[in-house]
Amino acid sequence: MKFISWNVNGLRACLGKGFTESMKVLDPDFICLQEIKMEKGQAEHGLDGYSEVWNSAVKRGYSGTAVFARTEPLSRAMGMGVPDHDNEGRLITLEYPEFYLVCAYTPNSQRELARLDYRMRWEDDFRAYLKGLDAVKPVILCGDLNVAHQEIDIKNPRSNRRNAGFTDEERDKMTVLLASGFTDAFRSLHPETRDAYTWWSYMAKARERNIGWRIDYFLVSNRLMPNVKSASIYPDIWGSDHCPVGLELEP
């Protein structure tokens, strides 16, 4: 099974920049999108053979997630059942016989860390939600988690130390989540790989210079790691300020 996750930073815009063609080349079984900034039916995506699950934000043109799956899920859920978190379309959970697939778009702590306190509440509630799922069956979590966990995951760790996405608080929450029974698939398979990023600022030709951050992930329940065949980053696929990331699972 092949999974792709991509923060498209506006799906309608990304559709005009080769989204459909890229997905057809990658040919995944599951496509998990974040920051779609639209509702179902507002644009033709050109993907055939997939069922669609959309969770759009209450605020139009903001945030939102979507999952395209070749296999119908046993069940689907939007949000985590916490009203404080569930109006921005940030979470989709699909249940399959062998696992839960969770597509997440973690809130950004914003400039001057204006939303850091809220982000900390999200992290605690989200971790509890994931642990509840994991107690039933293994979990595959993917998405823009808005944190570069380790210094290896960011080009300039020293100068970004207190910037949103690289605060001690956010990084510590990722450490706690992983210690709760989850594995960062890419870093597990590529522990020493540097300059592997998934997001670049639009400023100062950061992407061309590969001045980036790795903030898009596949985390899997520890007991699923023996089934992980590969975990990939696709920096050559443009269309957003993020690039897609991938996971392949053996049966």
Side-chain angles (χ1 to χ4, degrees), residues 7 34 104-106 108 119 142-149 153-154 164-166 174 196-200 212-218 233 241-243 245:
N7 179 323
Q34 305 88 45
Y105 177 34
T106 298
N108 190 294
R119 168 70 178 267
C142 66
D144 175 1
L145 302 188
N146 258 317
V147 60
H149 183 217
D153 298 316
I154 186 171
F166 199 62
M174 173 67 92
Y197 307 126
T198 67
W199 175 82
W200 303 262
W213 303 43
R214 189 175 73 95
I215 60 176
D216 301 87
Y217 295 84
F218 274 93
I233 297 174
D241 51 349
H242 296 249
C243 74
V245 295

PDB file of all heavy atoms in Angstrom, residues 7 34 104-106 108 119 142-149 153-154 164-166 174 196-200 212-218 233 241-243 245:
ATOM      1  N   ASN A   7       0.683  18.956   2.121  1.00  0.00           N
ATOM      2  CA  ASN A   7       0.066  20.248   2.388  1.00  0.00           C
ATOM      3  C   ASN A   7       0.106  21.027   1.082  1.00  0.00           C
ATOM      4  O   ASN A   7       1.171  21.467   0.639  1.00  0.00           O
ATOM      5  CB  ASN A   7       0.813  21.010   3.492  1.00  0.00           C
ATOM      6  CG  ASN A   7       0.198  22.373   3.776  1.00  0.00           C
ATOM      7  OD1 ASN A   7      -0.256  23.070   2.879  1.00  0.00           O
ATOM      8  ND2 ASN A   7       0.205  22.777   5.039  1.00  0.00           N
ATOM      9  N   GLN A  34      -3.623  18.457   3.224  1.00  0.00           N
ATOM     10  CA  GLN A  34      -3.855  19.458   4.262  1.00  0.00           C
ATOM     11  C   GLN A  34      -3.861  20.851   3.640  1.00  0.00           C
ATOM     12  O   GLN A  34      -3.306  21.077   2.578  1.00  0.00           O
ATOM     13  CB  GLN A  34      -2.763  19.397   5.353  1.00  0.00           C
ATOM     14  CG  GLN A  34      -2.592  18.034   5.994  1.00  0.00           C
ATOM     15  CD  GLN A  34      -1.615  17.162   5.237  1.00  0.00           C
ATOM     16  OE1 GLN A  34      -0.544  17.621   4.839  1.00  0.00           O
ATOM     17  NE2 GLN A  34      -1.964  15.897   5.035  1.00  0.00           N
ATOM     18  N   ALA A 104      -3.800  14.870   9.432  1.00  0.00           N
ATOM     19  CA  ALA A 104      -3.845  15.981  10.381  1.00  0.00           C
ATOM     20  C   ALA A 104      -3.123  17.208   9.848  1.00  0.00           C
ATOM     21  O   ALA A 104      -2.087  17.102   9.183  1.00  0.00           O
ATOM     22  CB  ALA A 104      -3.217  15.566  11.707  1.00  0.00           C
ATOM     23  N   TYR A 105      -3.684  18.355  10.183  1.00  0.00           N
ATOM     24  CA  TYR A 105      -3.046  19.637   9.909  1.00  0.00           C
ATOM     25  C   TYR A 105      -2.956  20.373  11.238  1.00  0.00           C
ATOM     26  O   TYR A 105      -3.911  21.022  11.681  1.00  0.00           O
ATOM     27  CB  TYR A 105      -3.857  20.422   8.869  1.00  0.00           C
ATOM     28  CG  TYR A 105      -3.322  21.796   8.555  1.00  0.00           C
ATOM     29  CD1 TYR A 105      -1.952  22.061   8.556  1.00  0.00           C
ATOM     30  CD2 TYR A 105      -4.189  22.835   8.239  1.00  0.00           C
ATOM     31  CE1 TYR A 105      -1.473  23.326   8.260  1.00  0.00           C
ATOM     32  CE2 TYR A 105      -3.723  24.106   7.933  1.00  0.00           C
ATOM     33  CZ  TYR A 105      -2.363  24.343   7.952  1.00  0.00           C
ATOM     34  OH  TYR A 105      -1.884  25.598   7.659  1.00  0.00           O
ATOM     35  N   THR A 106      -1.808  20.265  11.875  1.00  0.00           N
ATOM     36  CA  THR A 106      -1.617  20.810  13.216  1.00  0.00           C
ATOM     37  C   THR A 106      -1.598  22.341  13.174  1.00  0.00           C
ATOM     38  O   THR A 106      -0.967  22.934  12.299  1.00  0.00           O
ATOM     39  CB  THR A 106      -0.296  20.287  13.806  1.00  0.00           C
ATOM     40  OG1 THR A 106      -0.380  18.863  13.920  1.00  0.00           O
ATOM     41  CG2 THR A 106      -0.026  20.884  15.170  1.00  0.00           C
ATOM     42  N   ASN A 108      -0.607  26.125  13.529  1.00  0.00           N
ATOM     43  CA  ASN A 108       0.648  26.862  13.617  1.00  0.00           C
ATOM     44  C   ASN A 108       0.610  27.778  14.835  1.00  0.00           C
ATOM     45  O   ASN A 108      -0.426  28.384  15.137  1.00  0.00           O
ATOM     46  CB  ASN A 108       0.836  27.681  12.338  1.00  0.00           C
ATOM     47  CG  ASN A 108       2.211  28.302  12.225  1.00  0.00           C
ATOM     48  OD1 ASN A 108       2.580  29.168  13.005  1.00  0.00           O
ATOM     49  ND2 ASN A 108       2.965  27.863  11.233  1.00  0.00           N
ATOM     50  N   ARG A 119      -1.853  25.823  20.908  1.00  0.00           N
ATOM     51  CA  ARG A 119      -1.137  24.697  20.301  1.00  0.00           C
ATOM     52  C   ARG A 119      -0.806  23.631  21.345  1.00  0.00           C
ATOM     53  O   ARG A 119      -0.914  22.428  21.073  1.00  0.00           O
ATOM     54  CB  ARG A 119       0.136  25.218  19.630  1.00  0.00           C
ATOM     55  CG  ARG A 119       1.156  24.175  19.192  1.00  0.00           C
ATOM     56  CD  ARG A 119       0.682  23.330  18.009  1.00  0.00           C
ATOM     57  NE  ARG A 119       1.729  22.403  17.624  1.00  0.00           N
ATOM     58  CZ  ARG A 119       2.653  22.635  16.683  1.00  0.00           C
ATOM     59  NH1 ARG A 119       2.645  23.792  16.020  1.00  0.00           N
ATOM     60  NH2 ARG A 119       3.564  21.743  16.378  1.00  0.00           N
ATOM     61  N   CYS A 142      -0.485  10.956   9.337  1.00  0.00           N
ATOM     62  CA  CYS A 142       0.288  11.737   8.378  1.00  0.00           C
ATOM     63  C   CYS A 142      -0.207  13.162   8.365  1.00  0.00           C
ATOM     64  O   CYS A 142      -1.333  13.457   8.779  1.00  0.00           O
ATOM     65  CB  CYS A 142       0.206  11.143   6.976  1.00  0.00           C
ATOM     66  SG  CYS A 142      -1.439  11.205   6.230  1.00  0.00           S
ATOM     67  N   GLY A 143       0.659  14.040   7.883  1.00  0.00           N
ATOM     68  CA  GLY A 143       0.234  15.418   7.702  1.00  0.00           C
ATOM     69  C   GLY A 143       1.296  16.425   8.037  1.00  0.00           C
ATOM     70  O   GLY A 143       2.447  16.089   8.349  1.00  0.00           O
ATOM     71  N   ASP A 144       0.877  17.683   7.962  1.00  0.00           N
ATOM     72  CA  ASP A 144       1.714  18.813   8.332  1.00  0.00           C
ATOM     73  C   ASP A 144       1.564  18.985   9.837  1.00  0.00           C
ATOM     74  O   ASP A 144       0.559  19.512  10.313  1.00  0.00           O
ATOM     75  CB  ASP A 144       1.248  20.059   7.568  1.00  0.00           C
ATOM     76  CG  ASP A 144       1.989  21.310   7.978  1.00  0.00           C
ATOM     77  OD1 ASP A 144       2.880  21.232   8.844  1.00  0.00           O
ATOM     78  OD2 ASP A 144       1.659  22.384   7.435  1.00  0.00           O
ATOM     79  N   LEU A 145       2.574  18.555  10.574  1.00  0.00           N
ATOM     80  CA  LEU A 145       2.525  18.619  12.036  1.00  0.00           C
ATOM     81  C   LEU A 145       3.156  19.898  12.570  1.00  0.00           C
ATOM     82  O   LEU A 145       3.251  20.095  13.785  1.00  0.00           O
ATOM     83  CB  LEU A 145       3.186  17.386  12.652  1.00  0.00           C
ATOM     84  CG  LEU A 145       2.584  16.040  12.224  1.00  0.00           C
ATOM     85  CD1 LEU A 145       3.183  14.901  13.036  1.00  0.00           C
ATOM     86  CD2 LEU A 145       1.059  16.039  12.317  1.00  0.00           C
ATOM     87  N   ASN A 146       3.621  20.755  11.673  1.00  0.00           N
ATOM     88  CA  ASN A 146       4.075  22.097  12.019  1.00  0.00           C
ATOM     89  C   ASN A 146       5.130  22.118  13.124  1.00  0.00           C
ATOM     90  O   ASN A 146       5.101  22.985  14.005  1.00  0.00           O
ATOM     91  CB  ASN A 146       2.874  22.989  12.390  1.00  0.00           C
ATOM     92  CG  ASN A 146       2.499  23.919  11.254  1.00  0.00           C
ATOM     93  OD1 ASN A 146       3.371  24.515  10.620  1.00  0.00           O
ATOM     94  ND2 ASN A 146       1.207  24.049  10.987  1.00  0.00           N
ATOM     95  N   VAL A 147       6.067  21.170  13.052  1.00  0.00           N
ATOM     96  CA  VAL A 147       7.202  21.182  13.977  1.00  0.00           C
ATOM     97  C   VAL A 147       8.377  20.469  13.316  1.00  0.00           C
ATOM     98  O   VAL A 147       8.207  19.420  12.697  1.00  0.00           O
ATOM     99  CB  VAL A 147       6.856  20.515  15.327  1.00  0.00           C
ATOM    100  CG1 VAL A 147       6.444  19.043  15.142  1.00  0.00           C
ATOM    101  CG2 VAL A 147       8.010  20.618  16.307  1.00  0.00           C
ATOM    102  N   ALA A 148       9.540  21.071  13.405  1.00  0.00           N
ATOM    103  CA  ALA A 148      10.785  20.399  13.044  1.00  0.00           C
ATOM    104  C   ALA A 148      11.323  19.785  14.334  1.00  0.00           C
ATOM    105  O   ALA A 148      11.742  20.515  15.242  1.00  0.00           O
ATOM    106  CB  ALA A 148      11.783  21.382  12.447  1.00  0.00           C
ATOM    107  N   HIS A 149      11.276  18.470  14.431  1.00  0.00           N
ATOM    108  CA  HIS A 149      11.492  17.827  15.724  1.00  0.00           C
ATOM    109  C   HIS A 149      12.915  17.960  16.227  1.00  0.00           C
ATOM    110  O   HIS A 149      13.159  18.301  17.387  1.00  0.00           O
ATOM    111  CB  HIS A 149      11.101  16.348  15.635  1.00  0.00           C
ATOM    112  CG  HIS A 149      11.221  15.624  16.933  1.00  0.00           C
ATOM    113  ND1 HIS A 149      11.640  14.321  17.023  1.00  0.00           N
ATOM    114  CD2 HIS A 149      10.995  16.022  18.212  1.00  0.00           C
ATOM    115  CE1 HIS A 149      11.659  13.946  18.279  1.00  0.00           C
ATOM    116  NE2 HIS A 149      11.264  14.951  19.027  1.00  0.00           N
ATOM    117  N   ASP A 153      16.394  18.366  11.331  1.00  0.00           N
ATOM    118  CA  ASP A 153      15.188  18.573  10.530  1.00  0.00           C
ATOM    119  C   ASP A 153      14.996  20.024  10.083  1.00  0.00           C
ATOM    120  O   ASP A 153      13.948  20.357   9.517  1.00  0.00           O
ATOM    121  CB  ASP A 153      13.952  18.122  11.313  1.00  0.00           C
ATOM    122  CG  ASP A 153      13.982  16.645  11.638  1.00  0.00           C
ATOM    123  OD1 ASP A 153      14.328  15.859  10.747  1.00  0.00           O
ATOM    124  OD2 ASP A 153      13.665  16.281  12.795  1.00  0.00           O
ATOM    125  N   ILE A 154      15.986  20.876  10.295  1.00  0.00           N
ATOM    126  CA  ILE A 154      15.864  22.284   9.926  1.00  0.00           C
ATOM    127  C   ILE A 154      17.240  22.795   9.518  1.00  0.00           C
ATOM    128  O   ILE A 154      18.262  22.396  10.094  1.00  0.00           O
ATOM    129  CB  ILE A 154      15.271  23.088  11.105  1.00  0.00           C
ATOM    130  CG1 ILE A 154      14.997  24.534  10.712  1.00  0.00           C
ATOM    131  CG2 ILE A 154      16.135  23.004  12.345  1.00  0.00           C
ATOM    132  CD1 ILE A 154      14.212  25.309  11.778  1.00  0.00           C
ATOM    133  N   ALA A 164       8.007  29.904  15.592  1.00  0.00           N
ATOM    134  CA  ALA A 164       6.926  28.921  15.546  1.00  0.00           C
ATOM    135  C   ALA A 164       7.365  27.717  14.732  1.00  0.00           C
ATOM    136  O   ALA A 164       7.891  27.848  13.632  1.00  0.00           O
ATOM    137  CB  ALA A 164       5.681  29.546  14.926  1.00  0.00           C
ATOM    138  N   GLY A 165       7.150  26.532  15.284  1.00  0.00           N
ATOM    139  CA  GLY A 165       7.555  25.295  14.633  1.00  0.00           C
ATOM    140  C   GLY A 165       8.888  24.762  15.098  1.00  0.00           C
ATOM    141  O   GLY A 165       9.246  23.616  14.796  1.00  0.00           O
ATOM    142  N   PHE A 166       9.632  25.587  15.864  1.00  0.00           N
ATOM    143  CA  PHE A 166      10.910  25.103  16.385  1.00  0.00           C
ATOM    144  C   PHE A 166      11.148  25.618  17.806  1.00  0.00           C
ATOM    145  O   PHE A 166      12.272  25.861  18.223  1.00  0.00           O
ATOM    146  CB  PHE A 166      12.072  25.499  15.470  1.00  0.00           C
ATOM    147  CG  PHE A 166      13.326  24.672  15.684  1.00  0.00           C
ATOM    148  CD1 PHE A 166      13.314  23.303  15.455  1.00  0.00           C
ATOM    149  CD2 PHE A 166      14.494  25.261  16.110  1.00  0.00           C
ATOM    150  CE1 PHE A 166      14.452  22.538  15.664  1.00  0.00           C
ATOM    151  CE2 PHE A 166      15.649  24.511  16.321  1.00  0.00           C
ATOM    152  CZ  PHE A 166      15.628  23.146  16.093  1.00  0.00           C
ATOM    153  N   MET A 174       6.353  16.741  20.528  1.00  0.00           N
ATOM    154  CA  MET A 174       6.606  15.666  19.564  1.00  0.00           C
ATOM    155  C   MET A 174       7.370  14.522  20.225  1.00  0.00           C
ATOM    156  O   MET A 174       7.062  13.346  19.992  1.00  0.00           O
ATOM    157  CB  MET A 174       7.386  16.201  18.366  1.00  0.00           C
ATOM    158  CG  MET A 174       7.845  15.116  17.393  1.00  0.00           C
ATOM    159  SD  MET A 174       6.497  14.285  16.512  1.00  0.00           S
ATOM    160  CE  MET A 174       6.429  15.307  15.040  1.00  0.00           C
ATOM    161  N   ALA A 196      17.027  17.063   4.233  1.00  0.00           N
ATOM    162  CA  ALA A 196      15.790  16.432   3.758  1.00  0.00           C
ATOM    163  C   ALA A 196      14.627  17.230   4.334  1.00  0.00           C
ATOM    164  O   ALA A 196      14.236  17.041   5.490  1.00  0.00           O
ATOM    165  CB  ALA A 196      15.733  14.977   4.205  1.00  0.00           C
ATOM    166  N   TYR A 197      14.090  18.126   3.533  1.00  0.00           N
ATOM    167  CA  TYR A 197      13.080  19.057   4.012  1.00  0.00           C
ATOM    168  C   TYR A 197      11.782  18.902   3.233  1.00  0.00           C
ATOM    169  O   TYR A 197      11.766  18.372   2.119  1.00  0.00           O
ATOM    170  CB  TYR A 197      13.593  20.496   3.901  1.00  0.00           C
ATOM    171  CG  TYR A 197      14.933  20.699   4.578  1.00  0.00           C
ATOM    172  CD1 TYR A 197      16.015  21.245   3.888  1.00  0.00           C
ATOM    173  CD2 TYR A 197      15.118  20.333   5.916  1.00  0.00           C
ATOM    174  CE1 TYR A 197      17.252  21.415   4.508  1.00  0.00           C
ATOM    175  CE2 TYR A 197      16.345  20.496   6.545  1.00  0.00           C
ATOM    176  CZ  TYR A 197      17.408  21.039   5.832  1.00  0.00           C
ATOM    177  OH  TYR A 197      18.618  21.196   6.445  1.00  0.00           O
ATOM    178  N   THR A 198      10.698  19.409   3.841  1.00  0.00           N
ATOM    179  CA  THR A 198       9.375  19.308   3.207  1.00  0.00           C
ATOM    180  C   THR A 198       8.687  20.652   3.062  1.00  0.00           C
ATOM    181  O   THR A 198       7.630  20.730   2.431  1.00  0.00           O
ATOM    182  CB  THR A 198       8.460  18.373   4.028  1.00  0.00           C
ATOM    183  OG1 THR A 198       8.173  18.976   5.308  1.00  0.00           O
ATOM    184  CG2 THR A 198       9.113  17.002   4.241  1.00  0.00           C
ATOM    185  N   TRP A 199       9.250  21.703   3.651  1.00  0.00           N
ATOM    186  CA  TRP A 199       8.679  23.046   3.544  1.00  0.00           C
ATOM    187  C   TRP A 199       9.790  24.065   3.399  1.00  0.00           C
ATOM    188  O   TRP A 199      10.843  23.943   4.048  1.00  0.00           O
ATOM    189  CB  TRP A 199       7.842  23.398   4.766  1.00  0.00           C
ATOM    190  CG  TRP A 199       7.345  24.821   4.715  1.00  0.00           C
ATOM    191  CD1 TRP A 199       6.254  25.286   4.033  1.00  0.00           C
ATOM    192  CD2 TRP A 199       7.946  25.975   5.332  1.00  0.00           C
ATOM    193  NE1 TRP A 199       6.145  26.657   4.188  1.00  0.00           N
ATOM    194  CE2 TRP A 199       7.169  27.098   4.980  1.00  0.00           C
ATOM    195  CE3 TRP A 199       9.067  26.154   6.150  1.00  0.00           C
ATOM    196  CZ2 TRP A 199       7.469  28.385   5.426  1.00  0.00           C
ATOM    197  CZ3 TRP A 199       9.372  27.442   6.574  1.00  0.00           C
ATOM    198  CH2 TRP A 199       8.573  28.538   6.224  1.00  0.00           C
ATOM    199  N   TRP A 200       9.527  25.055   2.533  1.00  0.00           N
ATOM    200  CA  TRP A 200      10.483  26.134   2.297  1.00  0.00           C
ATOM    201  C   TRP A 200       9.720  27.447   2.218  1.00  0.00           C
ATOM    202  O   TRP A 200       8.647  27.523   1.614  1.00  0.00           O
ATOM    203  CB  TRP A 200      11.230  25.936   0.970  1.00  0.00           C
ATOM    204  CG  TRP A 200      11.954  24.644   0.853  1.00  0.00           C
ATOM    205  CD1 TRP A 200      13.291  24.412   1.076  1.00  0.00           C
ATOM    206  CD2 TRP A 200      11.400  23.371   0.462  1.00  0.00           C
ATOM    207  NE1 TRP A 200      13.602  23.097   0.854  1.00  0.00           N
ATOM    208  CE2 TRP A 200      12.453  22.424   0.478  1.00  0.00           C
ATOM    209  CE3 TRP A 200      10.116  22.937   0.106  1.00  0.00           C
ATOM    210  CZ2 TRP A 200      12.265  21.088   0.143  1.00  0.00           C
ATOM    211  CZ3 TRP A 200       9.926  21.606  -0.209  1.00  0.00           C
ATOM    212  CH2 TRP A 200      10.994  20.694  -0.194  1.00  0.00           C
ATOM    213  N   GLY A 212      15.356  24.808   4.243  1.00  0.00           N
ATOM    214  CA  GLY A 212      14.027  24.315   4.557  1.00  0.00           C
ATOM    215  C   GLY A 212      13.868  23.727   5.941  1.00  0.00           C
ATOM    216  O   GLY A 212      14.775  23.751   6.775  1.00  0.00           O
ATOM    217  N   TRP A 213      12.670  23.181   6.152  1.00  0.00           N
ATOM    218  CA  TRP A 213      12.266  22.531   7.397  1.00  0.00           C
ATOM    219  C   TRP A 213      11.596  21.202   7.036  1.00  0.00           C
ATOM    220  O   TRP A 213      10.893  21.118   6.029  1.00  0.00           O
ATOM    221  CB  TRP A 213      11.233  23.351   8.151  1.00  0.00           C
ATOM    222  CG  TRP A 213      11.579  24.762   8.532  1.00  0.00           C
ATOM    223  CD1 TRP A 213      12.208  25.698   7.779  1.00  0.00           C
ATOM    224  CD2 TRP A 213      11.247  25.390   9.776  1.00  0.00           C
ATOM    225  NE1 TRP A 213      12.294  26.879   8.466  1.00  0.00           N
ATOM    226  CE2 TRP A 213      11.710  26.718   9.697  1.00  0.00           C
ATOM    227  CE3 TRP A 213      10.604  24.954  10.933  1.00  0.00           C
ATOM    228  CZ2 TRP A 213      11.553  27.616  10.745  1.00  0.00           C
ATOM    229  CZ3 TRP A 213      10.433  25.853  11.971  1.00  0.00           C
ATOM    230  CH2 TRP A 213      10.913  27.162  11.884  1.00  0.00           C
ATOM    231  N   ARG A 214      11.774  20.198   7.856  1.00  0.00           N
ATOM    232  CA  ARG A 214      10.998  18.955   7.715  1.00  0.00           C
ATOM    233  C   ARG A 214       9.886  18.998   8.754  1.00  0.00           C
ATOM    234  O   ARG A 214      10.113  18.734   9.936  1.00  0.00           O
ATOM    235  CB  ARG A 214      11.871  17.712   7.902  1.00  0.00           C
ATOM    236  CG  ARG A 214      11.117  16.411   7.545  1.00  0.00           C
ATOM    237  CD  ARG A 214      12.035  15.187   7.613  1.00  0.00           C
ATOM    238  NE  ARG A 214      12.355  14.815   8.980  1.00  0.00           N
ATOM    239  CZ  ARG A 214      11.685  13.890   9.688  1.00  0.00           C
ATOM    240  NH1 ARG A 214      10.660  13.241   9.144  1.00  0.00           N
ATOM    241  NH2 ARG A 214      12.049  13.603  10.915  1.00  0.00           N
ATOM    242  N   ILE A 215       8.674  19.323   8.295  1.00  0.00           N
ATOM    243  CA  ILE A 215       7.538  19.455   9.205  1.00  0.00           C
ATOM    244  C   ILE A 215       6.353  18.586   8.791  1.00  0.00           C
ATOM    245  O   ILE A 215       5.310  18.610   9.444  1.00  0.00           O
ATOM    246  CB  ILE A 215       7.094  20.923   9.351  1.00  0.00           C
ATOM    247  CG1 ILE A 215       6.667  21.520   8.021  1.00  0.00           C
ATOM    248  CG2 ILE A 215       8.208  21.751   9.984  1.00  0.00           C
ATOM    249  CD1 ILE A 215       6.119  22.951   8.135  1.00  0.00           C
ATOM    250  N   ASP A 216       6.519  17.816   7.711  1.00  0.00           N
ATOM    251  CA  ASP A 216       5.470  16.915   7.224  1.00  0.00           C
ATOM    252  C   ASP A 216       5.919  15.475   7.471  1.00  0.00           C
ATOM    253  O   ASP A 216       7.044  15.114   7.108  1.00  0.00           O
ATOM    254  CB  ASP A 216       5.226  17.155   5.742  1.00  0.00           C
ATOM    255  CG  ASP A 216       4.803  18.595   5.463  1.00  0.00           C
ATOM    256  OD1 ASP A 216       5.695  19.450   5.282  1.00  0.00           O
ATOM    257  OD2 ASP A 216       3.593  18.854   5.441  1.00  0.00           O
ATOM    258  N   TYR A 217       5.052  14.675   8.039  1.00  0.00           N
ATOM    259  CA  TYR A 217       5.480  13.385   8.596  1.00  0.00           C
ATOM    260  C   TYR A 217       4.508  12.254   8.261  1.00  0.00           C
ATOM    261  O   TYR A 217       3.327  12.470   8.006  1.00  0.00           O
ATOM    262  CB  TYR A 217       5.515  13.469  10.130  1.00  0.00           C
ATOM    263  CG  TYR A 217       6.518  14.410  10.720  1.00  0.00           C
ATOM    264  CD1 TYR A 217       6.233  15.766  10.853  1.00  0.00           C
ATOM    265  CD2 TYR A 217       7.757  13.951  11.187  1.00  0.00           C
ATOM    266  CE1 TYR A 217       7.148  16.637  11.424  1.00  0.00           C
ATOM    267  CE2 TYR A 217       8.672  14.815  11.768  1.00  0.00           C
ATOM    268  CZ  TYR A 217       8.360  16.160  11.877  1.00  0.00           C
ATOM    269  OH  TYR A 217       9.273  17.021  12.448  1.00  0.00           O
ATOM    270  N   PHE A 218       5.053  11.052   8.379  1.00  0.00           N
ATOM    271  CA  PHE A 218       4.278   9.845   8.621  1.00  0.00           C
ATOM    272  C   PHE A 218       4.767   9.282   9.947  1.00  0.00           C
ATOM    273  O   PHE A 218       5.943   8.907  10.075  1.00  0.00           O
ATOM    274  CB  PHE A 218       4.468   8.802   7.521  1.00  0.00           C
ATOM    275  CG  PHE A 218       3.558   8.987   6.346  1.00  0.00           C
ATOM    276  CD1 PHE A 218       3.976   9.711   5.248  1.00  0.00           C
ATOM    277  CD2 PHE A 218       2.282   8.444   6.338  1.00  0.00           C
ATOM    278  CE1 PHE A 218       3.141   9.899   4.159  1.00  0.00           C
ATOM    279  CE2 PHE A 218       1.439   8.623   5.254  1.00  0.00           C
ATOM    280  CZ  PHE A 218       1.868   9.353   4.156  1.00  0.00           C
ATOM    281  N   ILE A 233      10.500  11.456   0.697  1.00  0.00           N
ATOM    282  CA  ILE A 233      10.220  12.873   0.514  1.00  0.00           C
ATOM    283  C   ILE A 233      10.412  13.169  -0.964  1.00  0.00           C
ATOM    284  O   ILE A 233      11.352  12.676  -1.589  1.00  0.00           O
ATOM    285  CB  ILE A 233      11.150  13.742   1.382  1.00  0.00           C
ATOM    286  CG1 ILE A 233      10.905  13.468   2.870  1.00  0.00           C
ATOM    287  CG2 ILE A 233      10.970  15.228   1.073  1.00  0.00           C
ATOM    288  CD1 ILE A 233      11.881  14.172   3.800  1.00  0.00           C
ATOM    289  N   ASP A 241       4.250  25.388  -1.210  1.00  0.00           N
ATOM    290  CA  ASP A 241       5.483  25.648  -0.461  1.00  0.00           C
ATOM    291  C   ASP A 241       5.923  24.412   0.311  1.00  0.00           C
ATOM    292  O   ASP A 241       7.033  24.393   0.862  1.00  0.00           O
ATOM    293  CB  ASP A 241       5.338  26.853   0.464  1.00  0.00           C
ATOM    294  CG  ASP A 241       4.115  26.802   1.367  1.00  0.00           C
ATOM    295  OD1 ASP A 241       3.232  25.937   1.156  1.00  0.00           O
ATOM    296  OD2 ASP A 241       4.016  27.646   2.279  1.00  0.00           O
ATOM    297  N   HIS A 242       5.092  23.389   0.348  1.00  0.00           N
ATOM    298  CA  HIS A 242       5.459  22.067   0.867  1.00  0.00           C
ATOM    299  C   HIS A 242       5.629  21.113  -0.317  1.00  0.00           C
ATOM    300  O   HIS A 242       5.080  21.335  -1.395  1.00  0.00           O
ATOM    301  CB  HIS A 242       4.349  21.493   1.761  1.00  0.00           C
ATOM    302  CG  HIS A 242       4.069  22.263   2.996  1.00  0.00           C
ATOM    303  ND1 HIS A 242       4.354  21.795   4.258  1.00  0.00           N
ATOM    304  CD2 HIS A 242       3.487  23.494   3.184  1.00  0.00           C
ATOM    305  CE1 HIS A 242       3.954  22.677   5.162  1.00  0.00           C
ATOM    306  NE2 HIS A 242       3.434  23.716   4.528  1.00  0.00           N
ATOM    307  N   CYS A 243       6.341  20.031  -0.085  1.00  0.00           N
ATOM    308  CA  CYS A 243       6.356  18.946  -1.075  1.00  0.00           C
ATOM    309  C   CYS A 243       5.664  17.722  -0.473  1.00  0.00           C
ATOM    310  O   CYS A 243       5.479  17.626   0.743  1.00  0.00           O
ATOM    311  CB  CYS A 243       7.786  18.605  -1.496  1.00  0.00           C
ATOM    312  SG  CYS A 243       8.761  17.687  -0.272  1.00  0.00           S
ATOM    313  N   VAL A 245       5.111  13.905   0.884  1.00  0.00           N
ATOM    314  CA  VAL A 245       5.879  12.851   1.554  1.00  0.00           C
ATOM    315  C   VAL A 245       5.116  11.541   1.365  1.00  0.00           C
ATOM    316  O   VAL A 245       3.898  11.543   1.161  1.00  0.00           O
ATOM    317  CB  VAL A 245       6.112  13.154   3.053  1.00  0.00           C
ATOM    318  CG1 VAL A 245       6.980  14.387   3.222  1.00  0.00           C
ATOM    319  CG2 VAL A 245       4.794  13.325   3.794  1.00  0.00           C
TER     320      VAL A 245
END
